[in-house]
Amino acid sequence: MTVAALDFQILRAFVLAAREGNVSRAAERLHLTQPAVSLQLKRLSEETGLQLFTRTPHGLALTADGAALLPQAERVLSAVGDLQQAARNLQGTVRGALRIGTILDPEFTRLGMFLRELVESAPQIETELRHGMSGTVLAQVLRGELDVGFHLDADGSDAATPAPLAARTLTRFTYRVVAPAGWGPQVLGRDWKALAALPWLATPPESAHHRLLEKVFGPLGLSPRRVALVDQEASMLDLLKSGVGLSLLRDSIAIRESQSHGLVMADRVQLDCALRFVSLAARRNEPVIASAWNALARAWN
């Protein structure tokens, strides 16, 4: 007998007949007629060249050869069952690549929690993280170069989301104007016009800092005095501590640094902002991207 000739239905008939000791009961279990099961047992005996059963007054009894073959047949059927279950599981598995645009620090965006939820719910998805500035991430999502991403909205209202995007506001927070230690007299009690005359740490147009300050200074016809261009938050904080100029910091960082390093927070001005998660609306229900949205919801709920 060759493996190709082996019919798994015949093996099922053999195993059930051996367990039941009766062709009729085996036929009932298989939803077949008794002659059909008897024919399958006969065929297996012919293909193996072995006598597998003897007839008794009570039904069937395994021969020594049949008893030796039974555990092998049971293992084959068990393996087939495992294969079928694995195939069914894979049919519902989401797989593919997910390109994620990240910004700021992972703790603030709950990036670790988001990725943990994604890995647990869709382990076949391969993730690629690309860190950048908020405006760069948004542009790459719009161009299809990223699948999903985090974005800082300087407007702070849901209505400001561009039409091609699906977006969820994760949290709202405040940016504070922060000055080096000892600059209290220059910044405390000062409005935007007075602050514009002081030296500022500038950021690229793609950054949320740039957009926020343009929103304030543009309508006033003011242009802050820029002494350095910085594209990383860590570098900005270091320059602040070194006394180079003013900058924006998230309120939680501003409070921490004012307490630990004596940085001065302007007390008359602040800017509201929103952290959002975005993807193209047209791709929102693609399996990989939908899995990302679901994982994000669990991480932020």
Side-chain angles (χ1 to χ4, degrees):
M1 177 187 67
T2 65
V3 173
L6 191 60
D7 186 334
F8 294 115
Q9 186 62 32
I10 291 178
L11 283 184
R12 291 188 183 94
F14 167 59
V15 169
L16 282 175
R19 290 174 180 170
E20 298 291 340
N22 185 284
V23 174
S24 296
R25 288 197 294 271
E28 288 180 15
R29 296 276 302 277
L30 291 167
H31 304 289
L32 297 172
T33 64
Q34 182 175 338
V37 173
S38 296
L39 185 61
Q40 289 176 335
L41 296 178
K42 179 181 178 182
R43 180 180 167 190
L44 181 60
S45 180
E46 292 172 349
E47 290 183 348
T48 59
L50 301 172
Q51 182 180 352
L52 303 173
F53 294 99
T54 58
R55 293 194 175 276
T56 71
H58 304 289
L60 297 177
L62 284 169
T63 64
D65 288 339
L69 197 63
L70 179 61
Q72 304 294 333
E74 289 175 330
R75 279 195 286 272
V76 170
L77 291 178
S78 177
V80 171
D82 291 343
L83 178 64
Q84 292 172 334
Q85 184 60 51
R88 285 192 291 269
N89 291 342
L90 288 173
Q91 287 173 359
T93 299
V94 178
R95 52 170 56 83
L98 180 71
R99 300 163 298 174
I100 305 169
T102 68
I103 58 173
L104 303 176
D105 56 272
E107 182 179 3
F108 183 67
T109 59
R110 301 189 189 179
L111 183 61
M113 296 173 61
F114 165 51
L115 292 178
R116 183 191 66 194
E117 293 290 345
L118 183 61
V119 168
E120 290 180 354
S121 61
Q124 297 298 320
I125 292 179
E126 297 180 1
T127 58
E128 177 185 342
L129 303 181
R130 300 183 190 175
H131 191 80
M133 285 179 285
S134 177
T136 302
V137 168
L138 183 65
Q140 290 177 336
V141 170
L142 287 168
R143 292 196 300 265
E145 297 169 6
L146 289 172
D147 301 305
V148 297
F150 295 91
H151 172 64
L152 294 179
D153 192 332
D155 181 86
S157 67
D158 292 328
T161 303
L165 291 174
R168 172 178 171 175
T169 298
L170 304 177
T171 187
R172 299 181 187 277
F173 62 100
T174 301
Y175 270 110
R176 303 294 297 270
V177 175
V178 181
W183 286 35
Q186 291 99 310
V187 299
L188 295 178
R190 307 294 181 175
D191 60 12
W192 285 114
K193 184 176 181 179
L195 293 174
L198 298 175
W200 279 80
L201 302 175
T203 58
E206 297 82 7
S207 74
H209 288 197
H210 182 92
R211 286 180 277 121
L212 284 164
L213 292 176
E214 282 291 313
K215 180 182 173 183
V216 170
F217 290 129
L220 296 176
L222 300 174
S223 180
R225 184 158 63 90
R226 297 168 179 173
V227 293
L229 182 67
V230 189
D231 63 357
Q232 292 184 1
E233 198 170 56
S235 299
M236 182 181 302
L237 188 55
D238 186 63
L239 291 176
L240 266 172
K241 293 176 183 177
S242 300
V244 176
L246 300 171
S247 185
L248 296 180
L249 288 180
R250 280 176 279 150
D251 48 4
S252 58
I253 298 176
I255 293 170
R256 182 191 71 203
E257 294 299 329
S258 67
Q259 294 172 345
S260 58
H261 294 94
L263 300 186
V264 182
M265 290 188 294
D267 54 356
R268 285 192 56 189
V269 298
Q270 64 183 38
L271 294 166
D272 295 328
C273 195
L275 172 66
R276 295 214 174 109
F277 188 76
V278 298
S279 71
L280 285 174
R283 301 185 61 200
R284 171 67 174 79
N285 293 320
E286 290 181 13
V288 171
I289 294 178
S291 296
W293 277 95
N294 292 336
L296 179 93
R298 292 191 295 273
W300 279 87
N301 284 343

